[in-house]
Amino acid sequence: MEAAFFWIAWGLISFWALKTFYFSFSKEKLDGLRKTALGINLAVLVLTFLPWLPQSLGGQSGLAVALEGNVLALLFLVLIVTSALIFLTKDSSLLKFAAITTIVNTFLLFILMYQLRPGTFILTPYDIVPIAAVLFLLVGDVVALLLWQQLQIKDRKRKRK
């Protein structure tokens, strides 16, 4: 029964999001999506300051893992800061680059978490932070793709005139 409610809610939310953002362009929608993407990237950046590993594995935050020299964690941190800064701009090509960076960062975080916690383990409160970061980034991916679509519609309108 829960699955039916989930899929019904998912269908309604998807219908609303596509109807609202996918087919028509407006500067307000573009700006709202840009600000949402910025907020999501900032939320993920804040999550890097919280513990990502349990005490048995050092109890380190994502930032500490990056500063200790983990290349994937450092790249993740650089990309999340870069995309957040770029989402502050309004340049179309930079916003597309930030969208790509957000999507790449999602895959990078999956790989990083698999590297840090391979195999099967029992979830602890320390595992919530990276899971929340992944979920935020997945939502950010959808927002970035909708933003990209808004930029394409804007470019088409500009070319027609």
Side-chain angles (χ1 to χ4, degrees), residues 100-142:
I100 291 169
T101 304
T102 301
I103 294 168
V104 167
N105 227 6
T106 304
F107 288 106
L108 190 62
L109 184 55
F110 274 111
I111 295 167
L112 174 64
M113 292 316 303
Y114 186 73
Q115 178 192 36
L116 293 176
R117 298 289 303 262
T120 304
F121 56 90
I122 297 172
L123 287 176
T124 66
Y126 293 100
D127 300 310
I128 300 300
V129 175
I131 291 170
V134 166
L135 292 175
F136 277 146
L137 281 175
L138 288 171
V139 171
D141 292 345
V142 172

Side-chain angles (χ1 to χ4, degrees), residues 20-30 92 96 148-161:
T20 303
F21 296 106
Y22 192 72
F23 296 110
S24 62
F25 171 78
S26 77
K27 289 183 181 183
E28 293 80 25
K29 290 178 190 177
L30 180 66
S92 293
K96 288 179 181 180
W148 191 300
Q149 175 66 16
Q150 286 289 303
L151 292 170
Q152 285 181 328
I153 294 171
K154 177 183 172 185
D155 290 343
R156 280 188 223 138
K157 279 188 170 185
R158 189 178 303 144
K159 288 178 183 177
R160 287 181 189 164
K161 291 180 180 183

Side-chain angles (χ1 to χ4, degrees), residues 1-71:
M1 192 61 160
E2 294 88 11
F5 287 128
F6 170 80
W7 287 111
I8 290 170
W10 181 261
L12 292 173
I13 291 169
S14 298
F15 175 76
W16 172 81
L18 288 175
K19 180 178 70 94
T20 303
F21 296 106
Y22 192 72
F23 296 110
S24 62
F25 171 78
S26 77
K27 289 183 181 183
E28 293 80 25
K29 290 178 190 177
L30 180 66
D31 198 46
L33 287 168
R34 183 184 61 79
K35 288 177 182 176
T36 302
L38 172 65
I40 289 171
N41 279 283
L42 290 177
V44 172
L45 182 61
V46 168
L47 288 175
T48 63
F49 294 104
L50 299 174
W52 281 27
L53 295 172
Q55 293 297 332
S56 62
L57 295 175
Q60 296 175 314
S61 67
L63 180 64
V65 172
L67 294 177
E68 281 190 355
N70 185 311
V71 176

